[in-house]
Amino acid sequence: MSAAPSAAPASVPSSASEPLRRFLQVARGAGLRVSAAEGIDAARALDLVGFSDRSVLKDTLGLVLAKTPDEKVLYEETFELYFQRHEFSDWINAELTPSAVAQDTSSRTADGSGQEHGSEGPPLSELLESDDPAALATSMEIAARASGIEKILYLTQKNRYVREILNRMGLRAVQEQIDALRARGTLDATAEAQRLEARTERLRDSTRDFVERSLLLFARGETEALRERLLKSTRLANLDRHDLERTRVLVRRMAKRLATRYARTRRRRRRGQLDVRRTLRRNMGWGGVPFLTVWKQKRIEKARVMVLCDVSGSVAWVSQFLLMFLYALTEVLSDIRSFAYSGSLIEVSDILEDQPFDEAITRVATSMGYGSSNYGNALADFERGWMKDITNKTTVIILGDARGNGTDPRADILERVSKRAKRIIWLNPEFRSSWGTGDSDMYRYAPYCGLVRVCSTLNDMERVINDLLEAAA
Amino acid sequence: MQNSDNTDLPRLIRSIEEVDAGLSAAGYIASRRISTAIYIAHHLRKPILVEGPAGVGKTELAKSLATWLMLPLIRMQCYEGLDEAKALYEWKYGKQLLYTQILRDKVGTLIGDAHDLGTALDRLHAFGDVFFSKSFLEPRPLLRALEQPGGAVLLIDEIDKSDQEFEAFLLELLSDYQVTIPEIGTVAATVPPIVLLTSNSTRDLGDALKRRCLHLHIGFPDEKLEARIIASRVPGIDARLLAQLVAFVQQLRGLDLKKPPSVSESIDWARVMVLMHSAVLAQDTVRDTLNVLLKFESDIEAAARHISDLTRKAQQAVVTAR
């Protein structure tokens, strides 16, 4: 796209670009999505407001960089963390004032050329001697940047970076100095060596601390993304209780995305095509000149869903997620009724609707117990109580491993259900290879199901629900 | 842009403090963050996307901005099914039809002496697109905002209610302050309007839209700011009542309610209190007027249980503040 005629020239202002660039990198690392255009905006905005007022600076960057409530929170954390890292405020000020930036950058390029320690600064031993925290922090910062601390990703890399930073700061020379002092053996020299050693130890600690904070700063977004990717493809049965909260957020987000997409197709269908015949008819009065248009419309049914969830010990974990998913979709699914079964079957729609999810799940669990499943019984209960509510618009979803502990599978009931319902979808958390082995009756039920799917990860689940919605539209 | 006396150009805002002062002169007490946003948007020529719960003054901000800068406020309310014919422009079909009928004879005489169809067509072409010119164009809010000679404040209200397609359609306007009308060409703004978009987050807006905007989140104000806002809107209010009232509302927001009271509701409530000549916050008055603050039956019931407690605390809060 050509440059806007009215907008001010979008040149990147030269001042401040270096500290800002690093902050942007940190922000991206923390999981904020900052585009190049937004980076330019941030630079222009900073040119406007300057750095003198910290709260204005924070507000300004927040306006440009964080664009959802979640991102605002993330941004504020990152901002605080970033500026806390530079504990020595006079040094920040020096760095953030544009005039100092030029020198700062030049010194960094000199340093980046792979020297052991900053040639322009005093050697480390002198720094330790003077015990000047600001100078030490500057030296550490420069060494850290030279060692590419921005690329740190995992906790396991911590020690490597600590070592690298200390080396670059010139620890080896200090060590040699200590050794030399000790070799001299005089009382004075030993005392001196001890003092240096204590300070080196403190430096080591603060470096470790520094790297940890950097890890928090640079790697959070990446780790988070990685964990989410893992969670989505981990088998639900293997999910840790620890990951539950995160998974729940993930499920909600997936459900929301599906809901939006589905709402769109519905709208598109409603818009329809021109109905030529009715348009002509409507416009007879104007000699057939089409003033008013009439569109073909298709009635769209919302999906009516009945979900039967196995809550017997083996698969309860998975059904929890399915229910979670379906409840997040209530906006687009007008009519969901849920049932829980193990030895017998009950309706749990009300429990799930009225109560917060955790409580609801516990209540379902206590009322059904994590008993052993009896599919024949459960299906008989279902036929007796709710068969009459199934219409040709109802989709019946059954989640279970089809392992009835050797009881009568009663596949005949499923046959009758399949005749009444629009279709039956069976989701089995077990791998396909184990279907039909042992007490699994999967292949007895399969002929009556429109769709039989392995559903063991969140990704699987999203796919199935997507199919379901598309079939309904 | 240097000469602020030049009426053709919008005035230049020089500092964040100027925004503060200007808005409060127009009756809008802005937090520092809001003023910063306006200042930056003005200089970067970026639209601002304002999000926040209903009734915290998102729309009011645009109105006050227009009053202060003495620019016309052009407001476009979004809803599902809003399309460019309603937002941008429409052809005046009736006028086009009428004119073709009236001009039929004229057209007849113009091409009457043409010998064959080709010549007649050529001659018609020579008229150009008479019937698709600006005089047959009905400008809708967006086009009108671009055409204002001295600039304007364009408020695109509740953008989250519109369709995703419409959001995409807005992109050209938001980034370049121009729109493309197929029959005419590109219309660019003479003076870029100040654009504010508001959203109640009923759905997530697209990244493309967000990227083009500054994002301002207005939450509920803190106690001090809210007191200032109410004082400016309800001038006659007693200082003690004001403090108690604000303390009460702030506590109410802490309860688990379906819809916590917003600023506009606390202003209404303050007005009611002044009308009823209450000097202090009394339990009975609170109980009777709770429906001004809370709009759901279940919320009123939930709050009613805590009234005595909250009122007492509100009264104490004032005592400790002194």
Side-chain angles (χ1 to χ4, degrees):
Chain A
M1 197 177 282
S2 66
S6 55
S11 64
V12 188
S14 55
S15 71
S17 49
E18 176 57 24
L20 178 66
R21 190 189 64 74
R22 275 192 291 121
F23 179 70
L24 290 182
Q25 193 173 17
V26 167
R28 288 195 184 108
L32 287 175
R33 279 177 303 175
V34 181
S35 68
E38 283 165 326
I40 292 172
D41 285 345
R44 285 172 62 203
L46 283 192
D47 253 14
L48 212 55
V49 298
F51 297 93
S52 49
D53 188 332
R54 192 188 137 114
S55 75
V56 170
L57 179 67
K58 189 174 166 184
D59 285 349
T60 304
L61 286 178
L63 284 168
V64 181
L65 302 179
K67 306 214 159 160
T68 62
D70 290 348
E71 280 186 1
K72 291 263 187 224
V73 175
L74 204 62
Y75 162 77
E76 294 205 352
E77 275 174 23
T78 313
F79 187 91
E80 293 300 336
L81 208 60
Y82 183 75
F83 284 102
Q84 176 210 323
R85 206 163 73 110
H86 312 278
E87 287 150 67
F88 312 96
S89 55
D90 54 348
W91 180 69
I92 309 173
N93 288 340
E95 189 190 43
L96 285 185
T97 36
S99 62
V101 170
Q103 308 164 6
D104 191 27
T105 345
S106 62
S107 72
R108 195 169 314 123
T109 40
D111 183 72
S113 56
Q115 287 163 11
E116 269 280 286
H117 54 87
S119 57
E120 78 290 337
L124 182 61
S125 56
E126 228 166 88
L127 285 177
L128 286 173
E129 201 72 56
S130 67
D131 207 17
D132 176 1
L136 270 176
T138 313
S139 165
M140 192 186 293
E141 182 77 23
I142 291 171
R145 237 173 275 151
S147 63
I149 189 86
E150 299 102 274
K151 298 197 186 74
I152 189 168
L153 274 183
Y154 310 107
L155 189 65
T156 46
Q157 291 170 314
K158 193 178 95 181
N159 285 334
R160 207 193 86 203
Y161 275 102
V162 172
R163 211 162 45 237
E164 172 113 19
I165 290 172
L166 286 173
N167 279 345
R168 277 183 195 268
M169 284 174 79
L171 187 69
R172 204 166 301 153
V174 177
Q175 208 62 53
E176 279 161 17
Q177 197 177 340
I178 293 173
D179 290 347
L181 282 169
R182 279 200 191 287
R184 223 183 293 161
T186 62
L187 211 61
D188 257 9
T190 320
E192 171 77 18
Q194 267 169 2
R195 209 173 57 235
L196 260 183
E197 225 158 36
R199 288 195 177 152
T200 315
E201 206 41 53
R202 202 150 40 144
L203 178 70
R204 221 183 279 274
D205 283 345
S206 62
T207 310
R208 216 167 281 141
D209 200 41
F210 174 87
V211 172
E212 262 166 31
R213 273 201 305 262
S214 304
L215 179 71
L216 213 60
L217 204 55
F218 291 111
R220 193 163 42 156
E222 194 47 45
T223 339
E224 203 80 339
L226 181 74
R227 199 170 293 167
E228 279 185 11
R229 270 202 304 279
L230 276 177
L231 277 183
K232 280 189 192 174
S233 49
T234 311
R235 295 196 64 198
L236 290 168
N238 296 342
L239 282 183
D240 212 328
R241 194 167 278 278
H242 184 67
D243 291 325
L244 192 60
E245 195 42 51
R246 196 184 299 272
T247 316
R248 192 163 302 163
V249 174
L250 214 57
V251 165
R252 211 169 293 143
R253 205 182 315 147
M254 278 173 156
K256 200 167 176 194
R257 193 170 61 231
L258 282 177
T260 324
R261 198 192 307 153
Y262 176 64
R264 260 181 95 190
T265 51
R266 280 209 308 167
R267 262 202 301 276
R268 199 168 54 236
R269 303 223 177 180
R270 193 170 30 177
R271 236 164 256 163
Q273 291 171 307
L274 187 70
D275 187 333
V276 179
R277 189 180 59 79
R278 285 172 58 209
T279 302
L280 284 177
R281 180 98 179 236
R282 182 82 175 272
N283 291 294
M284 282 298 221
W286 298 286
V289 180
F291 279 103
L292 301 170
T293 47
V294 183
W295 304 91
K296 276 181 189 163
Q297 296 199 325
K298 193 178 162 190
R299 272 181 66 91
I300 290 162
E301 301 283 344
K302 281 193 170 186
R304 298 163 62 97
V305 178
M306 282 181 166
V307 196
L308 279 64
C309 273
D310 193 345
V311 291
S312 66
S314 52
V315 285
W317 207 232
V318 187
S319 47
Q320 211 187 101
F321 288 108
L322 180 75
L323 287 176
M324 208 188 280
F325 221 113
L326 289 172
Y327 272 85
L329 282 172
T330 36
E331 251 176 60
V332 280
L333 297 168
S334 61
D335 191 6
I336 306 181
R337 299 181 68 176
S338 13
F339 305 87
Y341 65 86
S342 56
S344 55
L345 177 140
I346 54 162
E347 179 164 7
V348 294
S349 312
D350 295 343
I351 303 179
L352 287 174
E353 227 152 319
D354 296 343
Q355 309 209 3
F357 208 86
D358 295 316
E359 254 171 69
I361 291 293
T362 354
R363 275 202 46 191
V364 171
T366 46
S367 53
M368 275 321 292
Y370 287 117
S372 60
S373 33
N374 182 336
Y375 276 75
N377 252 349
L379 283 173
D381 283 347
F382 184 61
E383 182 177 34
R384 206 174 313 123
W386 293 277
M387 183 69 123
K388 59 180 188 307
D389 296 337
I390 299 177
T391 70
N392 58 1
K393 295 189 183 76
T394 312
T395 304
V396 179
I397 302 178
I398 303 175
L399 187 114
D401 54 6
R403 290 188 184 276
N405 300 312
T407 52
D408 181 7
R410 296 292 302 272
D412 57 309
I413 300 178
L414 205 64
E415 185 186 357
R416 287 198 286 282
V417 172
S418 78
K419 277 181 186 152
R420 277 186 79 103
K422 187 175 172 191
R423 68 169 174 167
I424 299 178
I425 299 177
W426 194 297
L427 305 178
N428 194 332
E430 283 190 340
F431 290 123
R432 201 172 280 267
S433 54
S434 51
W435 294 359
T437 60
D439 59 347
S440 171
D441 295 315
M442 195 60 242
Y443 287 119
R444 268 185 211 125
Y445 293 125
Y448 309 111
C449 300
L451 185 71
V452 184
R453 272 278 180 87
V454 177
C455 178
S456 60
T457 68
L458 284 179
N459 276 336
D460 287 345
M461 198 170 277
E462 189 183 11
R463 217 170 302 138
V464 170
I465 306 282
N466 191 26
D467 287 355
L468 175 72
L469 289 178
E470 249 153 40
Chain B
M1 289 290 273
Q2 301 305 317
N3 188 359
S4 56
D5 294 331
N6 191 341
T7 46
D8 282 352
L9 293 170
R11 52 187 296 190
L12 196 67
I13 304 174
R14 284 195 195 76
S15 68
I16 299 174
E17 288 73 23
E18 197 184 328
V19 181
D20 245 344
L23 283 179
S24 69
Y28 189 92
I29 311 293
S31 69
R32 181 76 177 199
R33 185 171 292 175
I34 296 176
S35 306
T36 310
I38 300 282
Y39 176 70
I40 290 172
H42 171 78
H43 282 274
L44 298 189
R45 300 198 177 161
K46 285 250 163 193
I48 312 179
L49 172 63
V50 191
E51 282 192 300
V56 289
K58 300 189 290 290
T59 309
E60 206 57 37
L61 174 62
K63 286 188 194 160
S64 309
L65 194 61
T67 317
W68 167 43
L69 296 173
M70 287 181 295
L71 293 174
L73 172 72
I74 294 171
R75 180 172 176 171
M76 191 177 71
Q77 177 69 45
C78 295
Y79 50 86
E80 206 179 302
L82 179 68
D83 57 10
E84 46 183 287
K86 286 167 199 144
L88 184 57
Y89 70 92
E90 190 153 39
W91 293 107
K92 297 174 178 169
Y93 298 117
K95 193 175 170 188
Q96 283 172 335
L97 211 66
L98 200 64
Y99 275 47
T100 44
Q101 292 301 311
I102 295 170
L103 296 178
R104 185 190 274 169
D105 296 343
K106 189 73 184 163
V107 174
T109 55
L110 274 174
I111 60 170
D113 57 341
H115 299 297
D116 51 37
L117 201 61
T119 344
L121 260 180
D122 283 345
R123 234 175 253 179
L124 268 179
H125 279 311
F127 297 139
D129 299 320
V130 195
F131 291 109
F132 286 97
S133 61
K134 275 208 167 158
S135 49
F136 290 99
L137 204 62
E138 174 84 62
R140 300 285 189 196
L142 295 183
L143 192 58
R144 256 193 309 161
L146 292 183
E147 283 178 337
Q148 295 296 323
V153 175
L154 172 62
L155 170 65
I156 302 177
D157 221 356
E158 303 191 323
I159 175 76
D160 51 329
K161 300 267 174 13
S162 69
D163 307 330
Q164 260 170 347
E165 291 82 351
F166 183 72
E167 206 182 294
F169 157 79
L170 275 181
L171 296 180
E172 185 189 7
L173 175 82
L174 293 181
S175 56
D176 298 343
Y177 297 107
Q178 62 173 40
V179 289
T180 305
I181 299 171
E183 295 88 342
I184 291 180
T186 305
V187 180
T190 40
V191 176
I194 300 176
V195 184
L196 278 103
L197 301 99
T198 74
S199 157
N200 291 328
S201 330
T202 47
R203 72 175 170 83
D204 283 341
L205 298 172
D207 284 341
L209 182 84
K210 282 186 175 163
R211 215 169 38 235
R212 282 166 175 79
C213 300
L214 301 178
H215 184 276
L216 173 66
H217 185 271
I218 306 186
F220 292 121
D222 60 15
E223 208 157 329
K224 233 159 107 193
L225 189 62
E226 183 157 30
R228 278 178 63 205
I229 294 171
I230 296 179
S232 89
R233 284 298 160 110
V234 193
I237 194 164
D238 176 61
R240 207 168 99 204
L241 174 63
L242 175 64
Q244 294 185 351
L245 192 137
V246 171
F248 185 85
V249 172
Q250 294 270 346
Q251 287 180 67
L252 207 54
R253 286 194 192 123
L255 296 181
D256 180 26
L257 297 176
K258 210 160 164 187
K259 189 193 171 307
S262 65
V263 183
S264 64
E265 274 135 10
S266 46
I267 291 174
D268 286 347
W269 200 43
R271 287 211 176 106
V272 170
M273 287 295 179
V274 170
L275 274 180
M276 291 171 74
H277 303 293
S278 320
V280 287
L281 212 60
Q283 265 191 51
D284 301 345
T285 355
V286 173
R287 205 177 296 278
D288 292 343
T289 53
L290 207 56
N291 57 349
V292 179
L293 278 179
L294 299 172
K295 301 294 160 73
F296 285 97
E297 200 55 43
S298 57
D299 282 355
I300 294 180
E301 275 168 29
R305 282 198 292 277
H306 301 284
I307 281 185
S308 58
D309 196 29
L310 291 182
T311 320
R312 203 173 49 247
K313 269 194 205 146
Q315 285 160 354
Q316 278 168 0
V318 179
V319 175
T320 51
R322 282 186 176 179

